[in-house]
Amino acid sequence: MTTTPDLATLTGEYTIDPAHTTIGFTARHAMVTNVKGKFLDFSGTLHLDGDDPSRSTASLDVTMDSIDTGSPDRDGHLKSSDFFKTDEFPKMTFRSTRAESLGGDDYRITGDLTILGTTKPLTIDLEFNGAAKDPFGNERVGFEGKADIKRSEWGLTWNAALETGGVLVSDKIKLNFDISAIKQG
């Protein structure tokens, strides 16, 4: 049963549950369709402050070799020196620098996203999906979030021109987050 408790009762340290969390993305391919993917190996923590949401923090570490688009050939290309250079840059990281309540169940978290050794600010709009105690006694919270980035800002510039005009891979990438986190202690 999902409830919306007094936010003060949610204050605490949380660990992101990778079995019930999706860190995903969507890119336009060949100017006509969307390719979706996700990362299968990641870890993260949240500090929620229900009395003062601006003191909440988030941290995420993603193993880039865990990229999964449903196509082993495409995944191999994404891991290569054309894109993520996973041998040289095995992790993508996010460290929050600011959190704010937008009213209701809406929040915004801003932080530093590091890809390929380049760190740029990223703002993620989040919706609080609720809190519940699961059948195993874990206190959980859920958030759903999204953000758009231009991959070129992180040095992800590989592309191929199309005969009909345009490019093979869009610069704009849509990020999506479905997060389930378990309260510690």
Side-chain angles (χ1 to χ4, degrees), residues 28 82-83 151 156-162 166-171:
R28 177 80 65 190
D82 284 344
F83 286 95
R151 64 187 179 91
L156 293 162
T157 57
W158 183 91
N159 226 325
L162 298 175
V167 292
L168 187 62
V169 183
S170 62
D171 190 30

Side-chain angles (χ1 to χ4, degrees), residues 13 56 63 103 107 125 139 165 179:
E13 305 302 319
S56 297
T63 302
Y107 297 87
D125 288 329
E139 293 183 50
I179 298 167

